[in-house]
Amino acid sequence: MTVLHTAELEIFADYFQFYLQDEAVDEDWGTFWTDETVERMLAVGECSVGIATARNMNVPVVLSVHDAAPEADFGEWELVNECSFRVRSGQVMLIGCTEGAPQERARFSLAPGSYRLRVSYVGLDSLSDDGLEGDDFYRLQVWPGPPGPTRTLKERAGAAG
């Protein structure tokens, strides 16, 4: 497994969420969020994936693109989810749900096709009393792969289900 691209970012997680999506696709994010997806902290469309966050502020995100499924190193993570999405245009972006201007978006190239995304979360319970500061951190790992089910690979301690 080789890492093809890595980006360390700060994403404005307005409304406690941000998105990984095909740049040319405009899906209705509101329909993704159900009681189940809110609990999982992951909402999946065809060409967009919504990642829920612990706070409504800028959050640290590391995104890496791999040529194959990365190692299952879940020890330090509190929650790990995996899902599929499609790339049509060859350009993907990470975007906060209220970011407007295109220059505010982090972009990278991915060949059109089907991909898997693994989202690992840590520090979800580390927020300050006002909810503005915290040590929450989000790792996104992307690799080519056939469509598959959305699943939780590691559940939060004390999580129902």
Side-chain angles (χ1 to χ4, degrees):
M1 188 269 316
T2 303
V3 176
L4 305 174
H5 174 79
T6 301
E8 294 183 25
L9 306 159
E10 288 251 330
I11 303 289
F12 183 47
D14 204 9
Y15 297 100
F16 301 91
Q17 60 194 281
F18 65 93
Y19 289 83
L20 173 69
Q21 74 170 67
D22 186 302
E23 186 174 72
V25 175
D26 186 19
E27 293 182 291
D28 180 4
W29 296 335
T31 62
F32 297 173
W33 294 104
T34 64
D35 290 344
E36 179 187 347
T37 61
V38 167
E39 179 71 25
R40 182 185 285 140
M41 297 185 73
L42 188 77
V44 182
E46 181 186 356
C47 300
S48 303
V49 179
I51 296 102
T53 62
R55 57 192 165 125
N56 189 29
M57 298 294 294
N58 285 329
V59 296
V61 177
V62 168
L63 174 115
S64 56
V65 178
H66 305 258
D67 63 356
E71 183 180 328
D73 61 342
F74 305 154
E76 69 181 277
W77 303 98
E78 295 169 12
L79 172 65
V80 180
N81 288 312
E82 197 172 287
C83 65
S84 291
F85 72 101
R86 274 189 19 170
V87 174
R88 291 182 183 166
S89 70
Q91 285 286 46
V92 178
M93 62 184 171
L94 273 172
I95 180 174
C97 76
T98 58
E99 289 183 44
Q103 64 271 17
E104 296 174 16
R105 302 170 183 173
R107 291 185 169 78
F108 58 99
S109 296
L110 277 182
S114 178
Y115 289 85
R116 293 293 288 170
L117 169 66
R118 184 177 298 156
V119 183
S120 304
Y121 311 72
V122 72
L124 298 174
D125 298 321
S126 68
L127 275 71
S128 59
D129 289 342
D130 63 7
L132 300 179
E133 300 294 326
D135 293 323
D136 53 324
F137 181 81
Y138 307 87
R139 178 180 72 174
L140 280 59
Q141 297 168 298
V142 176
W143 67 94
T150 298
R151 54 195 181 135
T152 299
L153 303 178
K154 182 176 181 179
E155 290 194 10
R156 288 177 78 177

